[in-house]
Amino acid sequence: MKRRLDMFFLYSDDNFLLKKHLEKMIKSLSADNLEVETYSFIENTMSEIVDGIQTFSFFNDQKIVVLKDAWFVTEKKVALHKTFDVNVFWETLKKGYNQNNILIFTLETDKLSNRLKIGQWFQEQAKVDYIKKLDEPAIKKYLTQSFLRKNKTIELEAVEYLVRVLPNEMQIMSLEVNKLLKLPQQNITLGDVKENTTHFYEYDIFQLVNEFLTNDLNKFIVQYQNYKIFNLDNIGLFTLMGNNLSILRDALILQKQGYANNAIAEKIGVNAYRLKMLMTVKNNSITQLNDKIKMLYNIIKRIVTGEIDPIIIPEYELIKLISQGGLNNGC
């Protein structure tokens, strides 16, 4: 079956990398300054999305239509807009949309379904591209080049420290790099990094994750307030917690398959020390870990979209969740 030249599907479990890849693709496709329209399968109605892919651009013969949150190609139960009908939309794609338009589907996930027929159809019809998280050598290269592009340098020890203490989330990594780039000195030392980087100390985050998993409200509040002293924004904190919970979940799955810690660290692509510390955290079942991860990323999404206050409501939701013992008890 011939693959379409006007349909793309980008997915990644790193939102920052996904956005950057999308921006790069739009730039490469927009040599003629094509109009770009963006829709979400969660936020927009079915009719808005169908109109978007069927109508012509006002200014060109062609336009780019970005279609976010395409969860219908996975087996995860994510609530899309109430008007969305996957079968009707699929039929529209197969025979009813404007062939002049370029469609780019995006999704923040690490896996598409090979079982669902619509997932198989996208694999056959669209150019599917998975943007994987950067491994340790790539992160070190990114950090070094970020300073070189601004005619600055950073010590190797400082780079290694950042890789060790920061989560493998490029949004957080980028924020910390930009903070360091604003320093007046040309060469950034390990001391500069320790003094100016948000304090993502392993012990603290492991303790925080531990209290979160065991639903120890009093201890969690103490750890949470310690982070707030260092001005860690809630999005960064929740992303950090979710990232560590995801690593723990994946490590436990691999451990059950018989992998040793060194092999797990290499397979997941994380620092061996971080993995060792995470494996000491008291944990629940894989299902409960998944519930906690989904809850955290749901809060992040609601903050980013402006649905909730970035400070008060997230703190309330966390306290409510812990007090009630987790998602399985009614949150």
Side-chain angles (χ1 to χ4, degrees):
M1 187 178 295
K2 189 174 180 181
R3 195 180 301 274
R4 302 191 62 88
L5 300 177
D6 56 0
M7 187 186 300
F8 302 87
F9 200 112
L10 306 179
Y11 70 105
S12 174
D13 50 346
D14 189 306
N15 186 261
F16 182 85
L17 292 177
L18 182 61
K19 288 180 179 178
K20 288 296 181 183
H21 199 89
L22 175 62
E23 291 170 3
K24 184 177 180 180
M25 174 173 282
I26 290 175
K27 187 176 181 179
S28 69
L29 294 171
S30 298
D32 299 322
N33 294 318
L34 297 181
E35 180 184 359
V36 179
E37 294 180 1
T38 302
Y39 301 92
S40 163
F41 289 100
I42 294 176
E43 306 295 337
N44 293 101
T45 66
M46 179 82 161
S47 61
E48 288 172 335
I49 292 173
V50 171
D51 286 346
I53 66 177
Q54 287 182 333
T55 56
F56 288 88
S57 167
F58 287 112
F59 310 105
N60 301 89
D61 294 331
Q62 196 175 41
K63 69 179 178 181
I64 296 172
V65 182
V66 178
L67 299 155
K68 298 161 50 180
D69 304 315
W71 287 103
F72 50 83
V73 297
T74 76
E75 296 175 42
K76 295 182 179 179
K77 304 300 181 183
V78 177
L80 303 182
H81 196 278
K82 61 183 180 180
T83 62
F84 181 73
D85 185 312
V86 63
N87 293 318
V88 173
F89 181 70
W90 189 10
E91 285 302 313
T92 302
L93 285 180
K94 288 191 283 189
K95 59 185 180 184
Y97 80 93
N98 186 346
Q99 303 298 307
N100 287 324
N101 294 335
I102 299 172
L103 308 187
I104 307 177
F105 294 82
T106 70
L107 184 60
E108 188 177 345
T109 186
D110 61 348
K111 186 178 180 181
L112 302 184
S113 174
N114 292 319
R115 186 180 66 84
L116 296 176
K117 289 184 179 180
I118 190 169
Q120 297 170 6
W121 184 83
F122 267 100
Q123 295 281 356
E124 295 169 351
Q125 292 291 317
K127 186 180 185 304
V128 179
D129 193 2
Y130 172 59
I131 305 99
K132 65 180 181 179
K133 284 180 178 287
L134 302 185
D135 58 17
E136 192 167 308
I139 293 173
K140 289 181 178 179
K141 182 178 179 181
Y142 163 78
L143 291 170
T144 302
Q145 291 185 342
S146 294
F147 289 91
L148 289 176
R149 281 194 293 268
K150 298 296 183 179
N151 297 315
K152 291 193 173 192
T153 56
I154 181 170
E155 291 180 351
L156 177 60
E157 292 84 357
V159 171
E160 291 176 343
Y161 175 83
L162 287 171
V163 171
R164 182 168 65 85
V165 302
L166 294 181
N168 188 0
E169 293 286 342
M170 293 309 297
Q171 183 65 55
I172 293 176
M173 197 81 68
S174 177
L175 290 172
E176 296 301 325
V177 167
N178 289 334
K179 188 190 301 181
L180 292 169
L181 285 171
K182 292 178 182 178
L183 297 178
Q185 51 266 47
Q186 289 300 112
N187 181 57
I188 305 300
T189 67
L190 176 60
D192 295 326
V193 170
K194 286 185 175 181
E195 183 178 348
N196 293 279
T197 304
T198 303
H199 291 65
F200 292 91
Y201 293 128
E202 275 91 342
Y203 176 77
D204 289 341
I205 189 60
F206 297 143
Q207 284 294 104
L208 193 64
V209 169
N210 187 53
E211 317 311 353
F212 184 57
L213 286 174
T214 56
N215 300 310
D216 191 321
L217 180 58
N218 291 332
K219 290 183 179 179
F220 177 83
I221 290 175
V222 171
Q223 294 295 332
Y224 179 76
Q225 291 303 323
N226 286 340
Y227 264 89
K228 299 302 289 185
I229 291 173
F230 296 112
N231 298 313
L232 179 63
D233 66 286
N234 276 331
I235 293 180
L237 174 59
F238 298 157
T239 300
L240 180 59
M241 290 174 61
N243 179 66
N244 278 274
L245 289 175
S246 296
I247 293 172
L248 177 58
R249 175 201 59 198
D250 296 344
L252 290 174
I253 292 172
L254 290 172
Q255 188 181 62
K256 289 181 179 180
Q257 295 174 358
Y259 287 90
N261 279 5
N262 288 341
I264 293 173
E266 183 177 352
K267 197 171 185 66
I268 298 178
V270 299
N271 182 278
Y273 173 73
R274 172 188 274 177
L275 178 64
K276 179 181 177 182
M277 292 299 295
L278 263 178
M279 295 298 278
T280 67
V281 171
K282 298 175 183 176
N283 57 80
N284 301 350
S285 68
I286 301 298
T287 299
Q288 289 170 318
L289 281 170
N290 280 331
D291 283 344
K292 300 274 190 176
I293 293 166
K294 286 188 286 187
M295 186 280 297
L296 286 169
Y297 284 111
N298 179 54
I299 292 178
I300 292 170
K301 180 177 179 59
R302 291 165 67 195
I303 294 174
V304 171
T305 58
E307 183 181 341
I308 61 174
D309 173 89
I311 303 295
I312 299 173
I313 300 301
E315 293 179 358
Y316 167 75
E317 297 245 358
L318 277 178
I319 291 172
K320 183 177 71 171
L321 177 76
I322 295 171
S323 298
Q324 296 180 353
L327 285 174
N328 292 333
N329 289 330
C331 284

